[in-house]
Amino acid sequence: MGKKQRKKRENTKSLKLKLYELKDNRIARFVALYLIYISIFTGLYLLLKEDLEFLRNLTAGTFSYMMSSLGVANTVTENLLLFEEGAPALKVIDECTGIYEVLVYSSCVMAYTTTYQKKLMGIAFGIPVILGINMVRLICLGFVGIWYPDMFDYVHYYLWQVTLILIIVLVVLIWIEKIVKS
């Protein structure tokens, strides 16, 4: 192998290494910013947690309304749903409101390298989508609780938790594709 070929091969390797390092720096920057934002948002959540009772009650009221619209008789008292069909009562706690998913999604959007206008568009786009999907989750859980109470814990703790993680990733990717790259 000649001197020119070796030099060219070394330059190619060097360029690939630099591109890899650049990519790694963007990833490291995103992870660092994500950790900062999730810490800030979590701190705010913990600070305001006692004031979020309205969110639990709003979620329970919306859930009750949607179940009634679908023909399921129920009563709601603050954040507790009672179904008349003998299903177990469902208590809406913070984890049921979608607040954690919103915090994770918002942290991803804020950590991503783009303009603040596109970040605000991402927040305005993603939060209603995530909260809407969360309501679909609650409705599904309501029906599972009524029709298949033995399956409730599995669907609640495993199936929907993994699904919500995938949905957050999907909504972030849609935001990047449709808003950031446009």
Side-chain angles (χ1 to χ4, degrees):
M1 186 181 315
K3 248 183 172 179
K4 284 185 180 181
Q5 284 179 326
R6 265 187 260 146
K7 186 73 169 168
K8 187 176 179 181
R9 183 174 281 167
E10 287 173 14
N11 287 341
T12 303
K13 284 182 182 179
S14 177
L15 180 61
K16 285 181 183 178
L17 184 60
K18 286 179 183 177
L19 289 173
Y20 182 75
E21 288 173 359
L22 176 64
K23 187 176 181 181
D24 271 0
N25 287 337
R26 285 188 291 178
I27 292 169
R29 182 179 185 276
F30 173 81
V31 170
L33 285 173
Y34 172 81
L35 292 173
I36 290 168
Y37 281 113
I38 197 68
S39 297
I40 291 168
F41 293 155
T42 301
L44 287 171
Y45 163 74
L46 292 172
L47 187 67
L48 301 171
K49 185 175 181 168
E50 296 306 315
D51 298 326
L52 294 177
E53 184 176 343
F54 80 93
L55 190 56
R56 293 184 289 274
N57 294 344
L58 177 64
T59 303
T62 306
F63 179 29
S64 172
Y65 174 79
M66 298 299 291
M67 292 300 284
S68 294
S69 297
L70 294 170
V72 178
N74 68 82
T75 56
V76 62
T77 305
E78 294 179 358
N79 63 338
L80 185 67
L81 258 77
L82 301 168
F83 296 103
E84 295 178 10
E85 304 189 14
L90 297 179
K91 184 176 183 178
V92 175
I93 58 175
D94 287 349
E95 289 86 346
C96 302
T97 64
I99 188 75
Y100 297 148
E101 290 79 10
V102 166
L103 296 177
V104 170
Y105 171 78
S106 298
S107 297
C108 287
V109 168
M110 294 304 293
Y112 196 82
T113 303
T114 190
T115 66
Y116 282 107
Q117 181 183 8
K118 289 182 179 183
K119 290 179 183 188
L120 288 174
M121 290 171 68
I123 300 279
F125 158 74
I127 289 176
V129 169
I130 289 171
L131 293 177
I133 292 169
N134 185 60
M135 189 53 59
V136 169
R137 175 185 78 92
L138 292 175
I139 292 166
C140 288
L141 288 171
F143 281 111
V144 169
I146 292 167
W147 294 335
Y148 306 103
D150 292 343
M151 292 294 297
F152 183 84
D153 285 343
Y154 170 77
V155 173
H156 182 247
Y157 294 116
Y158 299 106
L159 181 67
W160 270 109
Q161 296 305 317
V162 171
T163 302
L164 285 174
I165 292 167
L166 294 174
I167 287 170
I168 291 169
V169 170
L170 181 64
V171 174
V172 168
L173 292 174
I174 290 170
W175 166 70
I176 291 170
E177 196 62 35
K178 299 294 182 186
I179 296 174
V180 174
K181 289 185 176 181
S182 66

